[in-house]
Amino acid sequence: MKIIISELMDAAVVDQLRDRFDVSYDAGLVDRPDDLLKAVANADALIVRNRTQVNARLLAAAPQLKAVGRLGVGLDNIDVAACEQRGIQVLPATGANALAVAEYVIASAMLLLRGAYFASADVASGAWPRNQLSDGRETSGKALGLVGFGGIGQLTASLAVKLGMTVYAYDPALADDAPIWRDTGVHPVPLNRLVSEADVISLHIPLMDSTKGLFDANLIAQMRPGAVLVNTSRGGIVDEAALVQALQQGRIGGAALDVFENEPLPAGNAFPSLPNLLLTPHIAGLTAESNQRVSQLIAQRVTDSLSAASAASARE
Ligand code: NAD
């Protein structure tokens, strides 16, 4: 059976897959759409990260496809309904990169609250901006507001609680008396209250019609003066222009963005170079360790799915 892998996967795990399947691994295939369409023509499984668009065009070019492994969790690049209709299994790596994202959130929050880590060039050049950097803030005792309290939100909360933060979360899928609140010590609050009371706001929601543009100019205006925003969820959820304006006007304390409406950012984009604005290329969930965990989990899930498909066709 044939497996096409169109984005980065752990090399040792790819080799394990080669023991059982005919595997074609090309991490750059995602950037060559015509080659990708040709490559999937006889594929039984396709393994992607977040950039390969598994849409109607790709599915039409892949008549034998039985499984799509997703090296991550967001499924906004996969037409899940169309896959279901064709009986194609969509297999995300639920949980396997959550720790990488949770650590990214905590690290960003600490960097932005303290505000002392952007002085290397000044200090090396002989400047001594000690007075200007003397009012950095500690993380312990601050309020963290999590928008979305699923797998990653919960793990982030557990790290934050250990640091002495008070954690609030907004998640309409969880009732106020759900046991998870008591178990985690996190307080359920309405979105407006979370936004106006948190020192650090972190977004952990999927990109869907209902969440597109959710963190708009109106919510940004309700953030506490000096509060910081971390977005590792998906671009398109935060109004980027309104956020940049709030940073430039000094209304909020900082932001860390790992995801953007357009990835990679187009030339001439509106992001200024500011010491309290951290930009990373959608790597919150990607570390050496998480790549290994995610790859291993997806290799196993795809193997199980293809084995089941082959057993079913043998019975027919
Ligand atoms: P999850 O499905 O476990 O949790 C998402 C939660 O969001 C659910 O509990 C859901 O009820 C809640 N939710 C949905 N709509 C909401 C709304 N309007 N307001 C508040 N809550 C809402 O997902 P997860 O594993 O925690 O991941 C969250 C998101 O993080 C993913 O969808 C993905 O887009 C993103 N992600 C990014 C990276 C990265 O590298 N930057 C890595 C992993 C995941």
Side-chain angles (χ1 to χ4, degrees):
M1 285 185 145
K2 176 98 185 155
I3 301 178
I4 301 292
I5 306 167
S6 62
E7 296 182 67
L8 180 77
M9 188 167 182
D10 183 83
V13 178
V14 173
D15 284 340
Q16 287 171 23
L17 278 174
R18 286 200 169 104
D19 291 342
R20 289 195 57 176
F21 301 102
D22 173 8
V23 177
S24 169
Y25 172 42
D26 178 352
L29 193 56
V30 57
D31 294 313
R32 303 193 314 277
D34 291 342
D35 291 350
L36 175 64
L37 290 182
K38 275 186 217 143
V40 296
N42 59 352
D44 296 286
L46 172 66
I47 297 182
V48 303
R49 280 192 181 270
N50 64 310
R51 294 182 55 233
T52 306
Q53 299 303 313
V54 184
N55 51 23
R57 191 155 174 247
L58 185 141
L59 292 172
Q64 299 174 29
L65 202 63
K66 297 165 188 64
V68 177
R70 164 72 173 93
L71 297 157
V73 288
L75 296 178
D76 42 287
N77 58 320
I78 299 174
D79 187 338
V80 177
C83 288
E84 268 170 16
Q85 240 174 21
R86 284 249 318 258
I88 298 169
Q89 285 199 302
V90 177
L91 309 165
T94 306
N97 62 5
L99 183 62
V101 181
E103 288 192 0
Y104 175 104
V105 173
I106 297 296
S108 304
M110 293 184 97
L111 283 170
L112 290 168
L113 286 173
R114 189 69 188 259
Y117 299 94
F118 310 100
S120 303
D122 284 348
V123 173
S125 73
W128 202 245
R130 195 160 184 256
N131 288 345
Q132 295 94 301
L133 299 180
S134 59
D135 59 354
R137 290 166 289 168
E138 293 168 2
T139 308
S140 181
K142 296 295 179 298
L144 170 66
L146 300 168
V147 182
F149 200 53
I152 296 174
Q154 289 171 31
L155 198 52
T156 304
S158 75
L159 298 182
V161 165
K162 286 181 199 140
L163 282 170
M165 299 186 88
T166 305
V167 185
Y168 300 92
Y170 166 70
D171 192 320
L174 295 169
D176 279 358
D177 58 358
I180 188 80
W181 303 117
R182 200 190 49 239
D183 295 348
T184 56
V186 172
H187 311 282
V189 287
L191 182 59
N192 284 355
R193 190 177 149 206
L194 180 151
V195 170
S196 60
E197 293 188 10
D199 300 291
V200 177
I201 297 171
S202 188
L203 309 183
H204 299 288
I205 50 182
L207 178 63
M208 307 180 293
D209 286 344
S210 59
T211 59
K212 209 169 207 165
L214 178 82
F215 217 85
D216 59 6
N218 179 33
L219 279 187
I220 291 170
Q222 289 178 46
M223 286 172 66
R224 289 184 72 169
V228 306
L229 175 69
V230 182
N231 186 17
T232 58
S233 61
R234 278 293 179 268
I237 292 175
V238 173
D239 181 332
E240 294 175 353
L243 180 70
V244 166
Q245 199 179 35
L247 286 166
Q248 284 174 325
Q249 293 173 346
R251 281 193 285 112
I252 62 172
L257 302 179
D258 185 53
V259 288
F260 303 89
E261 196 154 0
N262 296 303
E263 297 180 7
L265 290 177
N269 66 77
F271 285 105
S273 174
L274 294 171
N276 59 349
L277 173 61
L278 305 174
L279 307 178
T280 51
H282 203 142
I283 45 73
L286 186 53
T287 58
E289 294 89 345
S290 76
N291 186 27
Q292 215 275 334
R293 286 192 301 267
V294 162
S295 298
Q296 196 73 60
L297 178 59
I298 290 309
Q300 190 57 53
R301 296 200 72 188
V302 168
T303 300
D304 292 347
S305 172
L306 291 185
S307 307
S310 131
S313 82
R315 280 196 301 274
E316 277 168 13

